[in-house]
Amino acid sequence: MNAIEPADPRLLVLAQDFREALRHSIYLVRRLDADGELSAAQLSTLKMLMDAGPASDGGGVRVGEIARNLGVKVPSATEQIIKLERAGLARREPDPSDSRAVRVTLTGAGRTAVESANERRNAVMAGILSSLSDEDRAALAAALPVIGKINATLQA
Amino acid sequence: MNAIEPADPRLLVLAQDFREALRHSIYLVRRLDADGELSAAQLSTLKMLMDAGPASDGGGVRVGEIARNLGVKVPSATEQIIKLERAGLARREPDPSDSRAVRVTLTGAGRTAVESANERRNAVMAGILSSLSDEDRAALAAALPVIGKINATLQA
DNA sequence: CCTAACTGTTAGGCTACCTAACTATGAATG
DNA sequence: CATTCATAGTTAGGTAGCCTAACAGTTAGG
């Protein structure tokens, strides 16, 4: 799909620069995550569950779906879920329509945990962004949909 | 330094969107790294050593400096260096001017390893970027310096 | 039915981090 | 200078998150 062709030099430069930016951004992400009581993986998982709605709405998310969404294998998802369950943030219930499956949902504690962790991280990030010029912020904002597109491509 | 203040709502939205973009980008980075024979941490370390120049130029990088540059603690840097050394990609030599210190340098094999790993990853990334429109690529390119600024802030 | 496909869990292993404790050297000071 | 304090790295031991392989239970199709 993408390979052996020579490739436009300008594209390669952009690729390199983007890679570099992402590489450095890892530290930013680490900083944000270090701050909280929830790890990045756990927060991501909980956020998914939040978006999926409550069990009473036929909500909840299956383990395989969580794994796909997080970009990890099923056993890794299971592991996260077990931790969240032990922490009282998520719950596993049998799926009424398929007894092989498990539906994972947020508990009340899980919901508040997501919300507060999110707020805190957003505040830290906002603090960092506040030192930028309006121009810079505009440039960043303009690029986010593009990065979103790139990431969406990956999932396919 | 940044904290309790209410914070501009638009800033918070940008913060949230940027966080989200970075979060998803993790999978992109994973994909890129999975591809290679060098782990992300190892490649980062080697790249640093490459930039620092050869030992003959009084080059080489001290362990503490590597750690600071990678955003990790010293023992983690030591660990990486030991692995690189075992793989024949880096070398540890005593620092002539301070015998507590160690200067780490690239070997020839290390140099070629960095170059080929970099090329491969760039090619994969270029493949991904090639599906974007010129406009999108321009937006992405415009944001990279801003992201660089953000990351630079962090290091301070 | 009975086999094949699918959903999760368990077991075992790896990498990359961390903190705490230690060794050795260097620098400062009375 | 001798002592003390600071700095540079290493070692030891632990955690989180990911992986593959092997397994158990359920469903669906021939």
Side-chain angles (χ1 to χ4, degrees), chain B residues 30 62-64 74-75 78 82 92 100-102:
Chain B
R30 267 217 273 278
R62 308 205 357 188
V63 175
V74 171
T78 296
I82 288 172
R92 275 191 290 188
R100 293 170 300 179
V102 167

Side-chain angles (χ1 to χ4, degrees), chain A residues 30 62-64 74-75 78 82 92 100-102:
Chain A
R30 268 217 273 277
R62 310 208 353 190
V63 176
V74 171
T78 296
I82 288 173
R92 276 191 288 188
R100 290 170 303 179
V102 168

